[in-house]
DNA sequence: TTTCGATATATATTATTAAATACAACGATC
DNA sequence: GATCGTTGTATTTAATAATATATATCGAAA
């Protein structure tokens, strides 16, 4: 059946991989998973890394610096997580020796753990799908 | 072991769900998957929907309108997909009866099919994970 | 040859996000 | 009480993305 509409530039060249220039591989399956709370993102990859850095450095500002992230942004993420969570994931201190600091609560530790588990299983999923992917 | 650092505002109220205000459910697992080509995104959810609309309407501009998307943006997505793909997913015509139009190639049809399959299995994955999710 | 609506593209404008900067408040320690 | 580096926040600036506008091009059909 011929289409009644006019000229379609059908560009149907090199479906057969005769020359070496066929884009054969080069495709990649990517994805993201995150947990959403009542009013926005609760925990995703970047937030999980941030939590780990806070645990490592004991400071939001240092954690932010280590990730090349502005303090403000890091603080907003922490604030968002704390508001979204049932109980705060990070507890902070202002003043005192060293000016203050931040540390994870046990809920914070658990949240990281839980997310990395999810993340690992997701990577596995992508790997499997990638193997069956036909493009 | 008591921490030597100063005052942590530990905010440890209502871990026990005594009052009714506990944010018990309200969490949702979300995610995205997409296929990346040699130089950027190749196919994701929005692009798959766009392809379907193009099939439905036979026109990029009408497809864009139907999605509340600017023609320019839609055109850029189509252009990107065509460049990224081994062979074009959309073929276009300018001029002629009705001014021109656009339609899917067989590769375009196959790409949609393939992506929706992936998407469905991904939704299944999220559903399973959601059931085991502890926050 | 003129008309038509859509493609293909450039340019300008607006809106949204992200980043940078600044600074008051804090409280244990010296 | 002075000091310290951090938290917590506001304000400003820069960067990016999204949208709007404009227009040249196309070719079948009238």
């Amino acid at each position: 059946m011929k289409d009644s509409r006019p000229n379609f530039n059908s560009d149907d060249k090199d479906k057969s991989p005769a020359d070496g220039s066929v884009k054969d591989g080069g495709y990649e399956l990517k994805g993201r998973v995150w947990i959403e709370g009542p009013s926005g993102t609760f925990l995703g990859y970047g937030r999980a890394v941030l939590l780990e850095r806070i645990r490592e450095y004991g400071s939001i500002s240092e954690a932010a610096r280590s990730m090349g992230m502005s303090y403000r942004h890091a603080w907003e993420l922490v604030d968002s997580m704390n508001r979204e969570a049932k109980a705060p994931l990070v507890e902070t201190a202002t003043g005192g020796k060293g000016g203050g600091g931040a540390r994870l609560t046990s809920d914070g530790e658990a949240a990281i753990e839980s997310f990395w588990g999810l993340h690992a299983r997701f990577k596995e999923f992508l790997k499997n799908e990638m193997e069956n992917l036909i493009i």
Side-chain angles (χ1 to χ4, degrees), chain A residues 59-61 71-72 75 92 94-95 98-99:
Chain A
S59 152
I60 295 176
S61 62
Y71 171 75
R72 181 200 163 94
W75 182 85
T92 61
T94 64

PDB file of all heavy atoms in Angstrom, chain A residues 59-61 71-72 75 92 94-95 98-99, chain D residues 4-11 26-28:
ATOM      1  N   SER A  59      30.535  17.529  59.527  1.00  0.00           N
ATOM      2  CA  SER A  59      30.204  18.930  59.233  1.00  0.00           C
ATOM      3  C   SER A  59      29.494  19.024  57.892  1.00  0.00           C
ATOM      4  O   SER A  59      29.929  18.414  56.898  1.00  0.00           O
ATOM      5  CB  SER A  59      31.497  19.754  59.208  1.00  0.00           C
ATOM      6  OG  SER A  59      31.377  20.874  58.361  1.00  0.00           O
ATOM      7  N   ILE A  60      28.428  19.787  57.848  1.00  0.00           N
ATOM      8  CA  ILE A  60      27.721  19.974  56.584  1.00  0.00           C
ATOM      9  C   ILE A  60      28.586  20.770  55.619  1.00  0.00           C
ATOM     10  O   ILE A  60      28.701  20.440  54.441  1.00  0.00           O
ATOM     11  CB  ILE A  60      26.381  20.715  56.805  1.00  0.00           C
ATOM     12  CG1 ILE A  60      25.426  19.862  57.635  1.00  0.00           C
ATOM     13  CG2 ILE A  60      25.749  21.078  55.473  1.00  0.00           C
ATOM     14  CD1 ILE A  60      24.123  20.554  57.980  1.00  0.00           C
ATOM     15  N   SER A  61      29.214  21.810  56.140  1.00  0.00           N
ATOM     16  CA  SER A  61      29.978  22.685  55.240  1.00  0.00           C
ATOM     17  C   SER A  61      31.172  21.955  54.635  1.00  0.00           C
ATOM     18  O   SER A  61      31.461  22.095  53.449  1.00  0.00           O
ATOM     19  CB  SER A  61      30.431  23.942  55.968  1.00  0.00           C
ATOM     20  OG  SER A  61      31.279  23.623  57.032  1.00  0.00           O
ATOM     21  N   TYR A  71      27.429  25.388  50.209  1.00  0.00           N
ATOM     22  CA  TYR A  71      26.919  25.094  51.540  1.00  0.00           C
ATOM     23  C   TYR A  71      25.414  25.228  51.568  1.00  0.00           C
ATOM     24  O   TYR A  71      24.712  24.402  52.136  1.00  0.00           O
ATOM     25  CB  TYR A  71      27.533  26.028  52.577  1.00  0.00           C
ATOM     26  CG  TYR A  71      26.878  25.889  53.924  1.00  0.00           C
ATOM     27  CD1 TYR A  71      27.149  24.795  54.734  1.00  0.00           C
ATOM     28  CD2 TYR A  71      25.935  26.807  54.363  1.00  0.00           C
ATOM     29  CE1 TYR A  71      26.523  24.634  55.945  1.00  0.00           C
ATOM     30  CE2 TYR A  71      25.308  26.658  55.576  1.00  0.00           C
ATOM     31  CZ  TYR A  71      25.593  25.579  56.367  1.00  0.00           C
ATOM     32  OH  TYR A  71      24.963  25.416  57.562  1.00  0.00           O
ATOM     33  N   ARG A  72      24.957  26.276  50.925  1.00  0.00           N
ATOM     34  CA  ARG A  72      23.525  26.527  50.924  1.00  0.00           C
ATOM     35  C   ARG A  72      22.747  25.333  50.376  1.00  0.00           C
ATOM     36  O   ARG A  72      21.762  24.888  50.950  1.00  0.00           O
ATOM     37  CB  ARG A  72      23.207  27.765  50.110  1.00  0.00           C
ATOM     38  CG  ARG A  72      21.734  28.080  50.100  1.00  0.00           C
ATOM     39  CD  ARG A  72      21.359  28.963  48.941  1.00  0.00           C
ATOM     40  NE  ARG A  72      19.933  28.922  48.728  1.00  0.00           N
ATOM     41  CZ  ARG A  72      19.078  29.793  49.246  1.00  0.00           C
ATOM     42  NH1 ARG A  72      19.525  30.782  49.995  1.00  0.00           N
ATOM     43  NH2 ARG A  72      17.780  29.692  49.028  1.00  0.00           N
ATOM     44  N   TRP A  75      22.865  22.451  52.733  1.00  0.00           N
ATOM     45  CA  TRP A  75      22.010  22.684  53.891  1.00  0.00           C
ATOM     46  C   TRP A  75      20.545  22.457  53.528  1.00  0.00           C
ATOM     47  O   TRP A  75      19.785  21.861  54.281  1.00  0.00           O
ATOM     48  CB  TRP A  75      22.208  24.103  54.439  1.00  0.00           C
ATOM     49  CG  TRP A  75      21.375  24.340  55.646  1.00  0.00           C
ATOM     50  CD1 TRP A  75      21.691  24.027  56.940  1.00  0.00           C
ATOM     51  CD2 TRP A  75      20.056  24.877  55.675  1.00  0.00           C
ATOM     52  NE1 TRP A  75      20.653  24.347  57.772  1.00  0.00           N
ATOM     53  CE2 TRP A  75      19.637  24.865  57.022  1.00  0.00           C
ATOM     54  CE3 TRP A  75      19.191  25.355  54.699  1.00  0.00           C
ATOM     55  CZ2 TRP A  75      18.391  25.338  57.415  1.00  0.00           C
ATOM     56  CZ3 TRP A  75      17.944  25.820  55.095  1.00  0.00           C
ATOM     57  CH2 TRP A  75      17.552  25.809  56.433  1.00  0.00           C
ATOM     58  N   THR A  92      22.387  18.681  64.125  1.00  0.00           N
ATOM     59  CA  THR A  92      23.398  19.723  63.964  1.00  0.00           C
ATOM     60  C   THR A  92      23.651  20.438  65.286  1.00  0.00           C
ATOM     61  O   THR A  92      22.835  20.398  66.198  1.00  0.00           O
ATOM     62  CB  THR A  92      22.940  20.765  62.945  1.00  0.00           C
ATOM     63  OG1 THR A  92      21.730  21.369  63.406  1.00  0.00           O
ATOM     64  CG2 THR A  92      22.719  20.150  61.594  1.00  0.00           C
ATOM     65  N   THR A  94      25.324  24.248  66.644  1.00  0.00           N
ATOM     66  CA  THR A  94      25.946  25.533  66.326  1.00  0.00           C
ATOM     67  C   THR A  94      26.717  25.988  67.549  1.00  0.00           C
ATOM     68  O   THR A  94      26.319  25.739  68.680  1.00  0.00           O
ATOM     69  CB  THR A  94      24.897  26.594  65.983  1.00  0.00           C
ATOM     70  OG1 THR A  94      24.097  26.832  67.135  1.00  0.00           O
ATOM     71  CG2 THR A  94      24.027  26.120  64.855  1.00  0.00           C
ATOM     72  N   GLY A  95      27.827  26.663  67.269  1.00  0.00           N
ATOM     73  CA  GLY A  95      28.658  27.147  68.371  1.00  0.00           C
ATOM     74  C   GLY A  95      29.445  26.031  69.024  1.00  0.00           C
ATOM     75  O   GLY A  95      29.444  24.885  68.595  1.00  0.00           O
ATOM     76  N   GLY A  98      35.099  24.311  67.908  1.00  0.00           N
ATOM     77  CA  GLY A  98      35.106  24.086  66.463  1.00  0.00           C
ATOM     78  C   GLY A  98      33.952  24.768  65.753  1.00  0.00           C
ATOM     79  O   GLY A  98      33.769  24.573  64.564  1.00  0.00           O
ATOM     80  N   GLY A  99      33.173  25.529  66.479  1.00  0.00           N
ATOM     81  CA  GLY A  99      32.111  26.293  65.842  1.00  0.00           C
ATOM     82  C   GLY A  99      30.800  25.553  65.686  1.00  0.00           C
ATOM     83  O   GLY A  99      29.757  26.159  65.498  1.00  0.00           O
TER      84      GLY A  99
ATOM     85  P    DC D   4      40.352  33.877  66.473  1.00  0.00           P
ATOM     86  OP1  DC D   4      41.788  33.688  66.236  1.00  0.00           O
ATOM     87  OP2  DC D   4      39.620  35.004  65.846  1.00  0.00           O
ATOM     88  O5'  DC D   4      39.604  32.526  66.078  1.00  0.00           O
ATOM     89  C5'  DC D   4      39.946  31.321  66.758  1.00  0.00           C
ATOM     90  C4'  DC D   4      38.847  30.310  66.554  1.00  0.00           C
ATOM     91  O4'  DC D   4      37.717  30.667  67.370  1.00  0.00           O
ATOM     92  C3'  DC D   4      38.317  30.285  65.128  1.00  0.00           C
ATOM     93  O3'  DC D   4      38.994  29.269  64.415  1.00  0.00           O
ATOM     94  C2'  DC D   4      36.832  29.944  65.296  1.00  0.00           C
ATOM     95  C1'  DC D   4      36.542  30.170  66.773  1.00  0.00           C
ATOM     96  N1   DC D   4      35.460  31.151  67.069  1.00  0.00           N
ATOM     97  C2   DC D   4      34.395  30.779  67.903  1.00  0.00           C
ATOM     98  O2   DC D   4      34.372  29.648  68.365  1.00  0.00           O
ATOM     99  N3   DC D   4      33.430  31.684  68.178  1.00  0.00           N
ATOM    100  C4   DC D   4      33.489  32.910  67.655  1.00  0.00           C
ATOM    101  N4   DC D   4      32.523  33.775  67.956  1.00  0.00           N
ATOM    102  C5   DC D   4      34.573  33.305  66.803  1.00  0.00           C
ATOM    103  C6   DC D   4      35.517  32.394  66.536  1.00  0.00           C
ATOM    104  P    DG D   5      38.983  29.285  62.754  1.00  0.00           P
ATOM    105  OP1  DG D   5      40.179  28.582  62.261  1.00  0.00           O
ATOM    106  OP2  DG D   5      38.647  30.639  62.295  1.00  0.00           O
ATOM    107  O5'  DG D   5      37.724  28.345  62.448  1.00  0.00           O
ATOM    108  C5'  DG D   5      37.697  27.030  62.981  1.00  0.00           C
ATOM    109  C4'  DG D   5      36.301  26.466  62.823  1.00  0.00           C
ATOM    110  O4'  DG D   5      35.360  27.318  63.532  1.00  0.00           O
ATOM    111  C3'  DG D   5      35.815  26.422  61.383  1.00  0.00           C
ATOM    112  O3'  DG D   5      35.035  25.254  61.219  1.00  0.00           O
ATOM    113  C2'  DG D   5      34.968  27.672  61.254  1.00  0.00           C
ATOM    114  C1'  DG D   5      34.357  27.756  62.645  1.00  0.00           C
ATOM    115  N9   DG D   5      33.955  29.109  63.035  1.00  0.00           N
ATOM    116  C8   DG D   5      34.537  30.302  62.675  1.00  0.00           C
ATOM    117  N7   DG D   5      33.944  31.342  63.186  1.00  0.00           N
ATOM    118  C5   DG D   5      32.907  30.812  63.938  1.00  0.00           C
ATOM    119  C6   DG D   5      31.925  31.459  64.728  1.00  0.00           C
ATOM    120  O6   DG D   5      31.767  32.657  64.932  1.00  0.00           O
ATOM    121  N1   DG D   5      31.055  30.543  65.327  1.00  0.00           N
ATOM    122  C2   DG D   5      31.147  29.179  65.176  1.00  0.00           C
ATOM    123  N2   DG D   5      30.241  28.464  65.814  1.00  0.00           N
ATOM    124  N3   DG D   5      32.063  28.560  64.441  1.00  0.00           N
ATOM    125  C4   DG D   5      32.902  29.439  63.856  1.00  0.00           C
ATOM    126  P    DT D   6      34.496  24.791  59.776  1.00  0.00           P
ATOM    127  OP1  DT D   6      35.089  23.473  59.457  1.00  0.00           O
ATOM    128  OP2  DT D   6      34.618  25.909  58.833  1.00  0.00           O
ATOM    129  O5'  DT D   6      32.956  24.580  60.071  1.00  0.00           O
ATOM    130  C5'  DT D   6      32.554  23.915  61.262  1.00  0.00           C
ATOM    131  C4'  DT D   6      31.149  24.336  61.624  1.00  0.00           C
ATOM    132  O4'  DT D   6      31.170  25.713  62.086  1.00  0.00           O
ATOM    133  C3'  DT D   6      30.166  24.312  60.462  1.00  0.00           C
ATOM    134  O3'  DT D   6      29.186  23.306  60.663  1.00  0.00           O
ATOM    135  C2'  DT D   6      29.529  25.686  60.441  1.00  0.00           C
ATOM    136  C1'  DT D   6      29.922  26.284  61.780  1.00  0.00           C
ATOM    137  N1   DT D   6      30.085  27.750  61.688  1.00  0.00           N
ATOM    138  C2   DT D   6      29.219  28.551  62.394  1.00  0.00           C
ATOM    139  O2   DT D   6      28.324  28.121  63.095  1.00  0.00           O
ATOM    140  N3   DT D   6      29.434  29.898  62.241  1.00  0.00           N
ATOM    141  C4   DT D   6      30.402  30.514  61.472  1.00  0.00           C
ATOM    142  O4   DT D   6      30.493  31.734  61.426  1.00  0.00           O
ATOM    143  C5   DT D   6      31.271  29.612  60.750  1.00  0.00           C
ATOM    144  C7   DT D   6      32.335  30.169  59.861  1.00  0.00           C
ATOM    145  C6   DT D   6      31.074  28.291  60.889  1.00  0.00           C
ATOM    146  P    DT D   7      28.060  23.071  59.543  1.00  0.00           P
ATOM    147  OP1  DT D   7      27.822  21.620  59.488  1.00  0.00           O
ATOM    148  OP2  DT D   7      28.426  23.810  58.321  1.00  0.00           O
ATOM    149  O5'  DT D   7      26.801  23.797  60.185  1.00  0.00           O
ATOM    150  C5'  DT D   7      26.333  23.386  61.460  1.00  0.00           C
ATOM    151  C4'  DT D   7      25.328  24.402  61.979  1.00  0.00           C
ATOM    152  O4'  DT D   7      25.922  25.721  61.929  1.00  0.00           O
ATOM    153  C3'  DT D   7      24.035  24.483  61.162  1.00  0.00           C
ATOM    154  O3'  DT D   7      22.926  24.484  62.051  1.00  0.00           O
ATOM    155  C2'  DT D   7      24.155  25.801  60.412  1.00  0.00           C
ATOM    156  C1'  DT D   7      25.010  26.636  61.353  1.00  0.00           C
ATOM    157  N1   DT D   7      25.796  27.704  60.688  1.00  0.00           N
ATOM    158  C2   DT D   7      25.556  29.017  61.051  1.00  0.00           C
ATOM    159  O2   DT D   7      24.728  29.350  61.863  1.00  0.00           O
ATOM    160  N3   DT D   7      26.359  29.933  60.403  1.00  0.00           N
ATOM    161  C4   DT D   7      27.328  29.680  59.460  1.00  0.00           C
ATOM    162  O4   DT D   7      27.980  30.596  58.975  1.00  0.00           O
ATOM    163  C5   DT D   7      27.521  28.294  59.142  1.00  0.00           C
ATOM    164  C7   DT D   7      28.568  27.898  58.131  1.00  0.00           C
ATOM    165  C6   DT D   7      26.755  27.376  59.764  1.00  0.00           C
ATOM    166  P    DG D   8      21.467  24.105  61.465  1.00  0.00           P
ATOM    167  OP1  DG D   8      20.646  23.629  62.589  1.00  0.00           O
ATOM    168  OP2  DG D   8      21.613  23.268  60.278  1.00  0.00           O
ATOM    169  O5'  DG D   8      20.907  25.520  61.016  1.00  0.00           O
ATOM    170  C5'  DG D   8      20.622  26.491  62.014  1.00  0.00           C
ATOM    171  C4'  DG D   8      20.293  27.822  61.369  1.00  0.00           C
ATOM    172  O4'  DG D   8      21.483  28.379  60.769  1.00  0.00           O
ATOM    173  C3'  DG D   8      19.248  27.758  60.253  1.00  0.00           C
ATOM    174  O3'  DG D   8      18.255  28.727  60.552  1.00  0.00           O
ATOM    175  C2'  DG D   8      20.031  28.133  58.999  1.00  0.00           C
ATOM    176  C1'  DG D   8      21.113  29.021  59.564  1.00  0.00           C
ATOM    177  N9   DG D   8      22.314  29.163  58.765  1.00  0.00           N
ATOM    178  C8   DG D   8      23.042  28.170  58.145  1.00  0.00           C
ATOM    179  N7   DG D   8      24.091  28.616  57.496  1.00  0.00           N
ATOM    180  C5   DG D   8      24.062  29.994  57.706  1.00  0.00           C
ATOM    181  C6   DG D   8      24.948  31.008  57.262  1.00  0.00           C
ATOM    182  O6   DG D   8      25.959  30.887  56.570  1.00  0.00           O
ATOM    183  N1   DG D   8      24.544  32.270  57.716  1.00  0.00           N
ATOM    184  C2   DG D   8      23.446  32.510  58.493  1.00  0.00           C
ATOM    185  N2   DG D   8      23.226  33.771  58.827  1.00  0.00           N
ATOM    186  N3   DG D   8      22.610  31.562  58.911  1.00  0.00           N
ATOM    187  C4   DG D   8      22.979  30.342  58.484  1.00  0.00           C
ATOM    188  P    DT D   9      16.831  28.606  59.795  1.00  0.00           P
ATOM    189  OP1  DT D   9      15.817  29.050  60.764  1.00  0.00           O
ATOM    190  OP2  DT D   9      16.680  27.316  59.087  1.00  0.00           O
ATOM    191  O5'  DT D   9      16.986  29.748  58.710  1.00  0.00           O
ATOM    192  C5'  DT D   9      17.166  31.077  59.195  1.00  0.00           C
ATOM    193  C4'  DT D   9      17.723  31.991  58.154  1.00  0.00           C
ATOM    194  O4'  DT D   9      19.050  31.636  57.752  1.00  0.00           O
ATOM    195  C3'  DT D   9      16.966  32.055  56.836  1.00  0.00           C
ATOM    196  O3'  DT D   9      16.014  33.098  56.955  1.00  0.00           O
ATOM    197  C2'  DT D   9      18.034  32.375  55.803  1.00  0.00           C
ATOM    198  C1'  DT D   9      19.315  32.421  56.621  1.00  0.00           C
ATOM    199  N1   DT D   9      20.503  31.864  55.934  1.00  0.00           N
ATOM    200  C2   DT D   9      21.512  32.726  55.602  1.00  0.00           C
ATOM    201  O2   DT D   9      21.483  33.913  55.845  1.00  0.00           O
ATOM    202  N3   DT D   9      22.578  32.149  54.954  1.00  0.00           N
ATOM    203  C4   DT D   9      22.712  30.811  54.630  1.00  0.00           C
ATOM    204  O4   DT D   9      23.714  30.412  54.053  1.00  0.00           O
ATOM    205  C5   DT D   9      21.617  29.960  55.021  1.00  0.00           C
ATOM    206  C7   DT D   9      21.662  28.497  54.725  1.00  0.00           C
ATOM    207  C6   DT D   9      20.575  30.521  55.649  1.00  0.00           C
ATOM    208  P    DA D  10      15.140  33.564  55.706  1.00  0.00           P
ATOM    209  OP1  DA D  10      13.870  34.085  56.230  1.00  0.00           O
ATOM    210  OP2  DA D  10      15.124  32.506  54.695  1.00  0.00           O
ATOM    211  O5'  DA D  10      15.990  34.798  55.145  1.00  0.00           O
ATOM    212  C5'  DA D  10      16.573  35.726  56.060  1.00  0.00           C
ATOM    213  C4'  DA D  10      17.332  36.785  55.294  1.00  0.00           C
ATOM    214  O4'  DA D  10      18.611  36.255  54.865  1.00  0.00           O
ATOM    215  C3'  DA D  10      16.624  37.267  54.027  1.00  0.00           C
ATOM    216  O3'  DA D  10      16.744  38.680  53.945  1.00  0.00           O
ATOM    217  C2'  DA D  10      17.364  36.554  52.898  1.00  0.00           C
ATOM    218  C1'  DA D  10      18.772  36.416  53.472  1.00  0.00           C
ATOM    219  N9   DA D  10      19.502  35.254  52.969  1.00  0.00           N
ATOM    220  C8   DA D  10      19.088  33.963  52.956  1.00  0.00           C
ATOM    221  N7   DA D  10      19.966  33.116  52.455  1.00  0.00           N
ATOM    222  C5   DA D  10      21.041  33.916  52.122  1.00  0.00           C
ATOM    223  C6   DA D  10      22.298  33.641  51.547  1.00  0.00           C
ATOM    224  N6   DA D  10      22.695  32.418  51.206  1.00  0.00           N
ATOM    225  N1   DA D  10      23.141  34.682  51.344  1.00  0.00           N
ATOM    226  C2   DA D  10      22.736  35.909  51.698  1.00  0.00           C
ATOM    227  N3   DA D  10      21.588  36.293  52.251  1.00  0.00           N
ATOM    228  C4   DA D  10      20.776  35.243  52.433  1.00  0.00           C
ATOM    229  P    DT D  11      15.965  39.463  52.808  1.00  0.00           P
ATOM    230  OP1  DT D  11      15.523  40.742  53.376  1.00  0.00           O
ATOM    231  OP2  DT D  11      14.988  38.553  52.166  1.00  0.00           O
ATOM    232  O5'  DT D  11      17.135  39.750  51.770  1.00  0.00           O
ATOM    233  C5'  DT D  11      18.398  40.212  52.260  1.00  0.00           C
ATOM    234  C4'  DT D  11      19.388  40.295  51.127  1.00  0.00           C
ATOM    235  O4'  DT D  11      19.978  38.986  50.891  1.00  0.00           O
ATOM    236  C3'  DT D  11      18.783  40.726  49.778  1.00  0.00           C
ATOM    237  O3'  DT D  11      19.518  41.820  49.286  1.00  0.00           O
ATOM    238  C2'  DT D  11      18.915  39.493  48.897  1.00  0.00           C
ATOM    239  C1'  DT D  11      20.113  38.790  49.505  1.00  0.00           C
ATOM    240  N1   DT D  11      20.170  37.325  49.263  1.00  0.00           N
ATOM    241  C2   DT D  11      21.322  36.769  48.768  1.00  0.00           C
ATOM    242  O2   DT D  11      22.317  37.430  48.526  1.00  0.00           O
ATOM    243  N3   DT D  11      21.276  35.407  48.583  1.00  0.00           N
ATOM    244  C4   DT D  11      20.200  34.564  48.833  1.00  0.00           C
ATOM    245  O4   DT D  11      20.292  33.367  48.626  1.00  0.00           O
ATOM    246  C5   DT D  11      19.028  35.221  49.349  1.00  0.00           C
ATOM    247  C7   DT D  11      17.811  34.400  49.644  1.00  0.00           C
ATOM    248  C6   DT D  11      19.058  36.546  49.531  1.00  0.00           C
ATOM    249  P    DC D  26      14.301  25.178  -0.494  1.00  0.00           P
ATOM    250  OP1  DC D  26      15.554  24.420  -0.654  1.00  0.00           O
ATOM    251  OP2  DC D  26      13.953  26.278  -1.411  1.00  0.00           O
ATOM    252  O5'  DC D  26      13.087  24.145  -0.507  1.00  0.00           O
ATOM    253  C5'  DC D  26      13.046  23.124   0.482  1.00  0.00           C
ATOM    254  C4'  DC D  26      11.633  22.599   0.588  1.00  0.00           C
ATOM    255  O4'  DC D  26      10.788  23.607   1.162  1.00  0.00           O
ATOM    256  C3'  DC D  26      10.995  22.271  -0.753  1.00  0.00           C
ATOM    257  O3'  DC D  26      11.075  20.874  -0.964  1.00  0.00           O
ATOM    258  C2'  DC D  26       9.541  22.743  -0.605  1.00  0.00           C
ATOM    259  C1'  DC D  26       9.459  23.299   0.808  1.00  0.00           C
ATOM    260  N1   DC D  26       8.664  24.541   0.971  1.00  0.00           N
ATOM    261  C2   DC D  26       7.525  24.527   1.784  1.00  0.00           C
ATOM    262  O2   DC D  26       7.187  23.479   2.337  1.00  0.00           O
ATOM    263  N3   DC D  26       6.806  25.668   1.943  1.00  0.00           N
ATOM    264  C4   DC D  26       7.201  26.783   1.329  1.00  0.00           C
ATOM    265  N4   DC D  26       6.470  27.880   1.526  1.00  0.00           N
ATOM    266  C5   DC D  26       8.363  26.820   0.502  1.00  0.00           C
ATOM    267  C6   DC D  26       9.066  25.680   0.349  1.00  0.00           C
ATOM    268  P    DG D  27      11.255  20.317  -2.424  1.00  0.00           P
ATOM    269  OP1  DG D  27      11.930  19.004  -2.334  1.00  0.00           O
ATOM    270  OP2  DG D  27      11.795  21.381  -3.284  1.00  0.00           O
ATOM    271  O5'  DG D  27       9.745  20.073  -2.832  1.00  0.00           O
ATOM    272  C5'  DG D  27       9.002  19.075  -2.153  1.00  0.00           C
ATOM    273  C4'  DG D  27       7.544  19.232  -2.470  1.00  0.00           C
ATOM    274  O4'  DG D  27       7.079  20.514  -1.983  1.00  0.00           O
ATOM    275  C3'  DG D  27       7.219  19.224  -3.965  1.00  0.00           C
ATOM    276  O3'  DG D  27       5.976  18.607  -4.137  1.00  0.00           O
ATOM    277  C2'  DG D  27       7.097  20.709  -4.291  1.00  0.00           C
ATOM    278  C1'  DG D  27       6.389  21.179  -3.024  1.00  0.00           C
ATOM    279  N9   DG D  27       6.447  22.602  -2.779  1.00  0.00           N
ATOM    280  C8   DG D  27       7.401  23.491  -3.194  1.00  0.00           C
ATOM    281  N7   DG D  27       7.165  24.721  -2.800  1.00  0.00           N
ATOM    282  C5   DG D  27       5.987  24.619  -2.070  1.00  0.00           C
ATOM    283  C6   DG D  27       5.235  25.619  -1.396  1.00  0.00           C
ATOM    284  O6   DG D  27       5.487  26.819  -1.295  1.00  0.00           O
ATOM    285  N1   DG D  27       4.111  25.094  -0.786  1.00  0.00           N
ATOM    286  C2   DG D  27       3.752  23.758  -0.819  1.00  0.00           C
ATOM    287  N2   DG D  27       2.627  23.428  -0.188  1.00  0.00           N
ATOM    288  N3   DG D  27       4.440  22.813  -1.455  1.00  0.00           N
ATOM    289  C4   DG D  27       5.545  23.320  -2.050  1.00  0.00           C
ATOM    290  P    DA D  28       5.863  17.451  -5.215  1.00  0.00           P
ATOM    291  OP1  DA D  28       6.689  16.311  -4.797  1.00  0.00           O
ATOM    292  OP2  DA D  28       6.068  18.080  -6.533  1.00  0.00           O
ATOM    293  O5'  DA D  28       4.324  17.054  -5.088  1.00  0.00           O
ATOM    294  C5'  DA D  28       3.843  16.559  -3.839  1.00  0.00           C
ATOM    295  C4'  DA D  28       2.475  17.146  -3.539  1.00  0.00           C
ATOM    296  O4'  DA D  28       2.600  18.559  -3.255  1.00  0.00           O
ATOM    297  C3'  DA D  28       1.475  17.012  -4.689  1.00  0.00           C
ATOM    298  O3'  DA D  28       0.228  16.606  -4.149  1.00  0.00           O
ATOM    299  C2'  DA D  28       1.415  18.417  -5.282  1.00  0.00           C
ATOM    300  C1'  DA D  28       1.700  19.296  -4.061  1.00  0.00           C
ATOM    301  N9   DA D  28       2.366  20.560  -4.368  1.00  0.00           N
ATOM    302  C8   DA D  28       3.491  20.745  -5.128  1.00  0.00           C
ATOM    303  N7   DA D  28       3.873  22.005  -5.212  1.00  0.00           N
ATOM    304  C5   DA D  28       2.937  22.681  -4.462  1.00  0.00           C
ATOM    305  C6   DA D  28       2.781  24.049  -4.143  1.00  0.00           C
ATOM    306  N6   DA D  28       3.616  25.004  -4.574  1.00  0.00           N
ATOM    307  N1   DA D  28       1.741  24.405  -3.362  1.00  0.00           N
ATOM    308  C2   DA D  28       0.919  23.440  -2.927  1.00  0.00           C
ATOM    309  N3   DA D  28       0.958  22.124  -3.147  1.00  0.00           N
ATOM    310  C4   DA D  28       2.001  21.813  -3.924  1.00  0.00           C
TER     311       DA D  28
END
